[in-house]
Amino acid sequence: MKEPIRKLNGQRALDTAKPLRHVVAAMILRGSGAEREVFICQRRPDQPMGLKWEFPGGKIEPGETPKEALARELSEELGIVAEIGDHITTVRHTYRNGGTIEIQFFAVTEFSGDLDNRIFQEMLWSPLERLPDYDFLAADLTLIRDLAEGKIL
Ligand SMILES: Nc1nc2c([nH]c(=O)n2[C@H]2C[C@H](O)[C@@H](COP(=O)(O)OP(=O)(O)OP(=O)(O)O)O2)c(=O)[nH]1
């Protein structure tokens, strides 16, 4: 590890300080009460953190508001035109590779178009209490537990 860092001209601090990545993700909801379900997606095996489950979304691009970014991601990933609803929560997480992400979660209850799998391994509707059965990305685990226990939504 020492050799490649030295080659970077002594900029070790810059090399290790990765910028915060701003991410948005959707909780697409249907049904109510005990029937309430949320739409979840599994990453492909060849992606980083492959086969983990997540909420559809992605990184905010320069010049986008969080809601604009999420609407774009849902169009690209699922082929839907979504109305981005209330902000639910924001989570910060540092992955083992040293990268920190901040994820803003929004509710989506209205959209047009059929959910079309454009990039995922698998996708499905899950009852909230069944979410802990899926192997979610580490940043999502507290949220998953809170959703399953009825503490959020
Ligand atoms: N969409 C989504 N991303 C999540 C969730 N939880 C979580 O840690 N993430 C992380 C995975 C990615 O590092 C990042 C999402 O950005 P992205 O979807 O554009 O990134 P990506 O898979 O291409 O991965 P990369 O560019 O960071 O290597 O946020 C989640 O529930 N949904």
Side-chain angles (χ1 to χ4, degrees):
M1 283 303 282
K2 276 184 183 164
E3 194 51 28
I5 288 169
R6 247 188 248 130
K7 279 182 189 155
L8 283 173
N9 216 7
Q11 296 189 359
R12 185 182 180 139
L14 284 178
D15 186 49
T16 51
K18 295 188 183 173
L20 180 66
R21 282 176 299 151
H22 293 276
V23 174
V24 282
M27 268 170 219
I28 306 175
L29 297 162
R30 73 175 184 188
S32 57
E35 311 276 278
R36 194 157 232 202
E37 293 181 313
V38 62
F39 194 72
I40 61 172
C41 304
Q42 187 181 33
R43 296 166 73 87
R44 286 191 189 274
D46 52 316
Q47 280 184 278
M49 305 187 283
L51 296 178
K52 293 281 184 182
W53 289 82
E54 66 179 12
F55 297 95
K59 288 189 277 292
I60 303 176
E61 289 177 2
E64 284 182 327
T65 66
K67 287 189 175 189
E68 285 168 354
L70 187 50
R72 174 186 50 74
E73 290 284 353
L74 296 180
S75 165
E76 289 171 4
E77 296 180 351
L78 302 171
I80 59 171
V81 177
E83 198 176 300
I84 310 301
D86 291 342
H87 172 258
I88 296 174
T89 188
T90 298
V91 171
R92 259 193 201 203
H93 183 83
T94 300
Y95 277 102
R96 271 195 227 126
N97 65 6
T100 300
I101 57 168
E102 182 183 86
I103 315 174
Q104 299 177 55
F105 290 91
F106 291 90
V108 171
T109 54
E110 306 284 336
F111 64 87
S112 60
D114 294 326
L115 291 162
D116 177 28
N117 185 356
R118 299 192 173 173
I119 60 158
F120 296 106
Q121 177 74 7
E122 204 183 322
M123 45 186 225
L124 55 82
W125 290 98
S126 169
L128 297 186
E129 70 273 14
R130 298 291 301 276
L131 288 173
D133 294 353
Y134 298 91
D135 185 17
F136 268 85
L137 288 170
D140 297 1
L141 292 178
T142 302
L143 177 61
I144 292 305
R145 197 191 55 214
D146 287 350
L147 286 165
E149 292 175 0
K151 291 182 184 161
I152 292 185
L153 298 179

